[in-house]
Amino acid sequence: MRDEKDTELVKGSRCSVRFGKTEEVSGVFKGYSMIGSETAVVIDCDGTVQFIMASHITSIKIIEPANSEIKKKKDEPGVYYG
C-alpha cells in the first residue's frame, strides 16, 4: 500500500505529465510559476526546463516520490489567484 505522502506532488518528485492532445514529458518537478496570469508547472527534463500551462494538463503520474521531506516555510508565498 502506498504512503499518503507518495501521492503528493512535491519538489524533487519524478513525474510524467500529459498535456495537450498527445504530448507527454517525464522529469523532475521543480515547482510552479506564473506566465502572465496563468499558472504553469515547471519540469526539469534532463537539463531542459519546461513550463507547462496548468490548464493544458490532462494527467500527472508520480513515478518516484521525492526522497526527503520538504517543509514549507510559513513566510514562503504560495501561488496567488486574484
Side-chain angles (χ1 to χ4, degrees):
M1 184 173 209
R2 294 195 101 159
D3 188 11
E4 189 171 314
K5 292 178 185 176
D6 292 346
T7 61
E8 296 177 9
L9 185 61
V10 295
K11 291 180 183 178
S13 295
R14 180 163 288 286
C15 62
S16 176
V17 180
R18 297 191 84 196
F19 60 99
K21 291 188 178 187
T22 58
E23 300 290 323
E24 185 170 350
V25 269
S26 294
V28 177
F29 176 69
K30 293 294 187 179
Y32 299 97
S33 181
M34 295 298 292
I35 299 177
S37 62
E38 297 280 332
T39 304
V41 174
V42 183
I43 304 290
D44 184 354
C45 305
D46 297 323
T48 302
V49 178
Q50 293 198 355
F51 292 77
I52 304 166
M53 303 305 269
S55 59
H56 295 144
I57 295 174
T58 56
S59 68
I60 299 177
K61 190 182 317 179
I62 299 175
I63 299 168
E64 182 180 324
N67 290 336
S68 61
E69 180 107 8
I70 298 174
K71 295 183 180 178
K72 191 172 185 179
K73 297 177 188 174
K74 287 185 179 182
D75 59 349
E76 182 180 320
V79 177
Y80 174 74
Y81 298 96

